[in-house]
Amino acid sequence: MFHLFRNKFPLIDEKWLEYTGYFNRAEIPAKTTLLEESEISKKLFIIEKGCIRVWFNNNGKDLTTQFFFENQSVASIESFMKKIPSPVVIETIEPAIVWWIHKNDLDKILDEIKEIPELRERLINMLFERTFDYMKYFVSFIKDSPTQRYLNLIEERPEIIQRVPQHYIASYLGVTTVHLSRIKSKLLHNK
């Protein structure tokens, strides 16, 4: 899987092989929890195949905050970086193939590459992109109606509509499955 990323990282082959050697491949069934809420995250996952969702429990109701697909990385970043209990659960939706790295190994890599400006910049950009996604999601909940959030999802993230079960999409939009059905029906009639 790592050949997809090789040209993005200016490393000599020896270091590339060393760093990718820290990753472990795992085949994970659907509906498998990779990280429990309140557990301290010690692994970062890169998805080769499958779909993973991040969610949290709000008074017995699960609220989905993000979906991740092939070639994306996922972790409870706050927990992973600060060694604090995770505010979220990470679980597979589909059967998945993931590559994971332990925090201690990633810390070794990060310590070594922090002196390479191009790599440092790529990592910072990756973190900012994740933060941007969270902010966009947060602002959308404040300013957009559920219908507009659904339309945004169709336009910006069609893979979610195609691959994710409706009850998880409803959870992500902050509505019930019945409300999501009404939104879809209304949009269909307005065409």
Side-chain angles (χ1 to χ4, degrees):
M1 183 187 122
F2 291 104
H3 71 277
L4 297 171
F5 303 108
R6 179 63 182 110
N7 64 348
K8 295 181 181 182
F9 295 95
L11 293 168
I12 61 171
D13 288 342
E14 180 182 300
K15 278 295 176 189
W16 177 258
L17 290 173
E18 177 187 338
Y19 294 161
T20 56
Y22 286 122
F23 284 85
N24 303 281
R25 185 178 187 273
E27 295 186 23
I28 314 284
K31 298 185 181 180
T32 299
T33 300
L34 301 175
L35 178 70
E36 293 282 356
E37 191 172 342
S38 79
E39 183 182 346
I40 295 178
S41 176
K42 295 178 182 156
K43 294 178 181 176
L44 174 112
F45 301 92
I46 297 176
I47 306 165
E48 179 178 326
K49 182 178 182 233
C51 176
I52 292 176
R53 80 178 181 124
V54 176
W55 63 278
F56 67 95
N57 183 324
N58 183 24
N59 297 321
K61 202 167 151 184
D62 74 316
L63 297 175
T64 302
T65 60
Q66 281 200 297
F67 298 102
F68 295 88
F69 298 94
E70 288 79 8
N71 304 319
Q72 293 183 308
S73 62
V74 60
S76 173
I77 296 297
E78 304 83 359
S79 175
F80 190 75
M81 298 305 284
K82 296 183 177 184
K83 299 179 185 174
I84 60 173
S86 174
V88 296
V89 175
I90 299 174
E91 77 175 350
T92 59
I93 292 177
E94 303 170 343
I97 297 172
V98 299
W99 291 81
W100 62 269
I101 186 169
H102 193 278
K103 178 171 178 23
N104 295 339
D105 293 328
L106 186 59
D107 285 345
K108 284 183 223 171
I109 295 171
L110 292 175
D111 192 49
E112 283 187 29
I113 67 170
K114 70 182 175 190
E115 300 305 320
I116 305 171
E118 190 176 342
L119 284 176
R120 189 175 59 241
E121 189 172 315
R122 283 186 192 274
L123 289 171
I124 289 169
N125 286 341
M126 189 176 75
L127 287 174
F128 274 124
E129 190 169 314
R130 180 90 179 261
T131 302
F132 176 74
D133 287 344
Y134 279 133
M135 286 304 299
K136 190 173 181 184
Y137 177 74
F138 176 74
V139 169
S140 178
F141 256 84
I142 293 170
K143 77 173 209 176
D144 295 333
S145 68
T147 300
Q148 186 58 53
R149 288 197 299 273
Y150 182 70
L151 290 169
N152 293 345
L153 195 60
I154 291 170
E155 184 180 320
E156 297 168 10
R157 305 280 315 274
E159 70 276 14
I160 291 175
I161 302 298
Q162 296 161 2
R163 292 175 61 181
V164 173
Q166 295 300 296
H167 62 286
Y168 293 143
I169 293 172
S171 166
Y172 181 72
L173 295 172
V175 298
T176 65
T177 52
V178 171
H179 191 169
L180 178 57
S181 291
R182 287 185 190 132
I183 290 170
K184 290 167 70 175
S185 178
K186 185 178 176 183
L187 290 172
L188 195 60
H189 287 112
N190 289 342
K191 279 190 170 183

